[in-house]
Amino acid sequence: MKRIFGLILGVAVAVSLFAFAFTYWQNYQEQNLLLDDLSRHSALLAESFKEAIEPNYSIKKNPALDKLLDKDAGKERLTGLVIYDVTGALVASSSTISKGAINFAAVAEAAIKGDTTVRQVSSVDGDKLFVLADPLHSDGAVTGALVVVQNANYLDAVAGEVWTTNLVRLFVQVLVFLIAIILLLRWLIFQPMKHILESIRQIRTGTISDELTKLKVYGFFHPIAVEIAKMSESLLNARQAASEEARLRLEKLDTPWTAERLKEFIKHNLKGRPIIVVSNREPYSHSKVDGEITYSVPSSGLVTALEPIMEACGGLWVAHGSGDADKEVVDSNDKVALPPDEPKYTLKRIWLSEKEVKGHYVGFSNEALWPLCHMVHTRPVFRKNDWLEYRKVNGKFAQSLLAEIKDMEQPIILVQDYHFALLPAMIKKSRPDAEVGIFWHIPWPGAEAFNICPWRKAIVEGMLGADVVGFHTQQYCNNFLDTARKEIESIVDIEQFSVTHDGHTSYIKPLPISVALTNVAAKKTQQKSLVLQEAGVKTKYVAVGVDRMDYTKGILERLRGLEFFFETHPSYQEELTFVQVAPLSRQSVEKYRQFAEEVRTEVERINEKFGTSAWTPIVLIDRNLTHEELDPLYQVADVCLVTPLNDGMNLVAKEYVAAQDDESGVLVLSKFTGAARDLKDALIINPYSAEETSEAIYQALTMSQLEQRRRIKKMRESIKNKNIYRWAAELIRAVANLGSNEISL
Ligand code: ADQ
């Protein structure tokens, strides 16, 4: 587009330059003609005065001469006449020429000296004058000179007129030319192109059905349009055949779940029923970089799992708008179509004030609920004000959601995580027909531990507004059931795993989240890790840890395990580098800032203790890596250390296994993660024991290739069968009460 406008501008500039040159030339010609005319007229005047002067007057001061020179002076363009004697002295002049302005001696002298007519254009007092000096004779000898002075101001006026006329004409011509070009481009190129592009986009995304064959474009692009229409017809047929095949494949149990299969599942089973996802974190956030709006996707398994659901049903995602340019891209209802390059669903952004974020997100969610549920010896902080903000923000989301589902029948609402414990009951109260599920991504502690929360009853009641309450493991489900039994009046059914409270039954389900093995394997990963190259890691062995900088992730314990390893196995010094990727997280929470400082100090201490000029034992990378950077790092790492003190699931462990296409590498995994239940072939350890961590590192580095392959293969198999898409399908099946019919799954 810019190029086309550049081209048009170039043509306009070229036309203008040409017109300027032409006007200049035209003006030059015109001025020459006018000057010739003036010169001829002045010569005739001089001739007629000379005929009167030469025979009758001698050239010396004489009032009669002055009188004669006054005869025609001031008429038409004649400013006046002046006579000089042969010495160049002024003899007579018209009264119309002011004395001060009489300065034509030089031109008169030139005429006398050369005995010839001399012409000159000069400026006097801002007036342009044409001066012609003619010698006077008596008896064949030069006796003086007669100077005719004509006003030549009109020459400038004519020149100005020529320029004005031509420039106005040029401006009008260029304007007409530009308008014509723009209209032509619009009608002949842009509009058909836009139409074709939109049709191709719809064909590609499958949002157009039979209509796509009726692509109407005429003119230049007609032949292309005809071809596209034919192509789209075949694509439509192919897509229908693929869809049918996918539907038939649903009947087979052994096929792995994919994003496509999930979409088919949703289309087939929900038949257009709306799905709404609610989460605190938004799937895309917009921000300004160097004045330009860009977007980013948070590193989270949640987006990977929920986006195909949203894409399949064109659903609505409600989340807190936290990007600094979020407000600039939404419409008047605070909505934006996503993904930005290929919109398929809608994100509704909820704006929260600083006070709300502080109370809801920083305070109650991350300083109370997070430590309460993780139980890693960090005391939860229960502040009344935080609780009130938490309740208020849950109410704000509920209100917005209820307005959105006002005209929807039986909407399915998938609430995500501990930021919205109260939301399910708030929705159900106004919309009992809505089917609501809440998935709790973090652990649920034992009933005794939960007992310390002052608002435990309200939290459990809020969650039990949902039809399905999902956790990663059976243990968390058991804990929740115990808590419900203890905290509120309810009927607990151990066989069904349900809680009935206030006449409403909620089913408590273990739904272990996972990653998308198929996607990772399909990616063309690099053989080398640029991250390692940048960090200058050259050792024979590499171990890796990837976590948000969070005190639950056991990073300090991991470092102590490594220190113990280097102490007890000194031969591995300079042979092994540990790369810890840990970008700062939740920096508005004091505890997280302190923790990050502690980790940095500990890394420095250990590096000082063992490091040499050629080897840094621990490399700390504190920026967020993309999955394009993480996958090669996972692939080259001989060992991955996942040692949380408590973790709902931990997706990093599964991502590491999924990335090992060559079936080598060893996963060291904390027994306090949900993942330890799915990945039984990892080296399972107690992260609190530096000895166990160290021993596992040693076992990993000395493990035979055959054994590595056996373990990785089994773990990859388990991820392949229970991947993220299956998790999403099972969540929907449970919430929409689809039953366990295998065809449905
Ligand atoms: P998290 O506590 O964030 O999630 P985890 O599941 O390990 O923990 O990580 C989520 C995602 O963030 C992964 O996809 C990972 O690749 C990415 N990530 C982590 N560190 C990163 C880094 N340094 N750079 C780039 N990406 C990074 C919560 C619960 C978990 C649960 C998930 C999903 O605490 O127990 O597994 O939700 O339910």
Side-chain angles (χ1 to χ4, degrees), residues 145-161:
L146 172 70
V147 179
V148 180
V149 184
Q150 300 249 44
N151 187 320
N153 280 338
Y154 77 103
L155 290 180
D156 286 346
V158 170
E161 217 167 281

Side-chain angles (χ1 to χ4, degrees), residues 352-371:
L352 298 180
S353 67
E354 235 175 79
K355 188 168 164 245
E356 286 170 333
V357 172
K358 194 165 175 284
H360 168 257
Y361 177 75
V362 179
F364 201 72
S365 298
N366 286 322
E367 289 185 310
L369 282 178
W370 178 269

Side-chain angles (χ1 to χ4, degrees), residues 545-588:
V546 177
D547 314 79
R548 282 183 301 100
M549 187 67 96
D550 191 305
Y551 55 81
T552 62
K553 300 291 180 184
I555 301 174
L556 285 175
E557 287 70 12
R558 194 178 304 164
L559 294 177
R560 273 164 219 146
L562 269 152
E563 183 181 10
F564 192 76
F565 173 76
F566 285 128
E567 266 167 8
T568 50
H569 300 91
S571 62
Y572 281 93
Q573 289 181 21
E574 301 202 67
E575 291 276 286
L576 168 72
T577 306
F578 174 58
V579 179
Q580 174 65 57
V581 185
L584 296 179
S585 170
R586 303 178 188 167
Q587 285 301 286
S588 41

Side-chain angles (χ1 to χ4, degrees), residues 638-692:
D638 304 280
V639 190
C640 181
L641 297 176
V642 180
T643 61
L645 307 180
N646 198 5
D647 210 338
M649 173 55 69
N650 193 293
L651 290 178
V652 171
K654 293 190 173 180
E655 284 167 6
Y656 176 75
V657 171
Q660 308 310 311
D661 313 20
D662 63 352
E663 295 174 350
S664 70
V666 181
L667 174 67
V668 174
L669 182 60
S670 155
K671 65 178 181 181
F672 304 122
T673 60
R677 279 152 186 83
D678 295 336
L679 305 174
K680 295 204 168 67
D681 286 278
L683 298 180
I684 308 283
I685 56 149
N686 173 355
Y688 289 96
S689 157
E691 289 83 350
E692 269 190 46

Side-chain angles (χ1 to χ4, degrees), residues 281 298-302 304 370 374 417-418 439-443 472 476 513 515 545-550 552-553 580-583 586 621-627 630 634 642 644 646-653 655 674 727:
R281 179 102 61 97
S299 302
S300 123
L302 199 87
T304 319
W370 178 269
H374 280 89
D417 234 352
Y418 60 101
F439 191 81
W440 200 259
H441 289 259
I442 61 177
H472 287 306
Y476 307 149
I513 204 166
V515 294
V546 177
D547 314 79
R548 282 183 301 100
M549 187 67 96
D550 191 305
T552 62
K553 300 291 180 184
Q580 174 65 57
V581 185
R586 303 178 188 167
I621 297 173
D622 60 5
R623 71 181 174 91
N624 234 319
L625 301 189
T626 62
H627 276 280
L630 273 180
Y634 285 143
V642 180
N646 198 5
D647 210 338
M649 173 55 69
N650 193 293
L651 290 178
V652 171
E655 284 167 6
W727 173 82

